[in-house]
Amino acid sequence: MQVRIIAVGKIKERFLSDGIAEYEKRLVPYLKLSITEIAEERRGVHASASQEQHAKEKEGERILAAIPEGTYVVVLDIRGTELASEALAARLRSLQLAGTPSVTVIIGGDLGLSDAVLGRAALRLSLSPMTFTHQMARLILMEQLYRACRINSGEPYHK
């Protein structure tokens, strides 16, 4: 199965980029992974609510343009469905068995995701009720994808 991650912004912290690179290596035997980074929309430090909304919509346009046709779209959303690792693995397995060619997971920036992007989602997934930076969310997502692959392969994983 192919999994594409579309994420707003670049990873700035070395410890996070090292962790993401490690999980990219670990995922090679299980799935085809690609990461597309979407540029953060520039705005002033003291941007108004309307300027922030405009920035979120511009980022959303770039995200929507990067989503391939026929993919199953998952957006990370704090108000989304929380899944245990086993449930995430089962969801991925069922998509694969149904012949879904690819899954695209979208991680918004610090402003979140536009309504248009949220509306494109087949699944709104929450990693936790806690708030994480979008950079940290990418690392957590990668670890959970790896864990789901191990579960689906019948390999041991830490509970």
Side-chain angles (χ1 to χ4, degrees):
M1 172 177 270
Q2 178 168 358
V3 174
R4 167 177 277 145
I5 297 173
I6 299 174
V8 174
K10 296 188 176 295
I11 300 298
K12 297 173 182 139
E13 303 292 338
R14 174 134 187 192
F15 72 96
L16 291 173
S17 60
D18 288 348
I20 290 166
E22 177 63 29
Y23 282 107
E24 282 183 277
K25 285 190 298 191
R26 291 182 186 194
L27 283 164
V28 167
Y30 302 103
L31 52 81
K32 184 176 177 185
L33 178 73
S34 65
I35 299 174
T36 302
E37 291 181 339
I38 303 296
E40 291 177 285
E41 188 68 17
R42 293 184 181 259
R43 61 189 190 282
V45 175
H46 302 290
S48 68
S50 65
Q51 289 170 322
E52 287 186 348
Q53 183 63 31
H54 178 74
K56 187 164 50 172
E57 289 172 8
K58 295 299 278 184
E59 290 172 354
E61 290 170 9
R62 290 195 289 272
I63 291 168
L64 291 170
I67 299 172
E69 290 296 318
T71 191
Y72 183 89
V73 178
V74 177
V75 297
L76 295 189
D77 180 3
I78 196 165
R79 295 170 304 280
T81 302
E82 291 181 31
L83 296 176
S85 298
E86 294 85 355
L88 177 62
R91 177 76 58 108
L92 290 174
R93 185 173 49 252
S94 69
L95 288 169
Q96 193 169 22
L97 291 173
T100 305
S102 68
V103 174
T104 299
V105 184
I106 300 170
I107 305 171
D110 63 341
L111 296 174
L113 293 166
S114 70
D115 290 340
V117 173
L118 292 171
R120 180 70 172 77
L123 171 65
R124 290 183 184 189
L125 178 65
S126 174
L127 296 177
S128 169
M130 292 186 278
T131 303
F132 301 115
T133 66
H134 54 284
Q135 296 175 28
M136 196 167 283
R138 193 184 315 183
L139 175 61
I140 294 167
L141 172 65
M142 299 280 289
E143 189 279 335
Q144 285 300 302
L145 288 172
Y146 175 69
R147 186 178 297 264
C149 289
R150 302 244 334 156
I151 291 168
N152 286 341
S153 295
E155 297 174 25
Y157 67 98
H158 296 291
K159 294 185 180 187

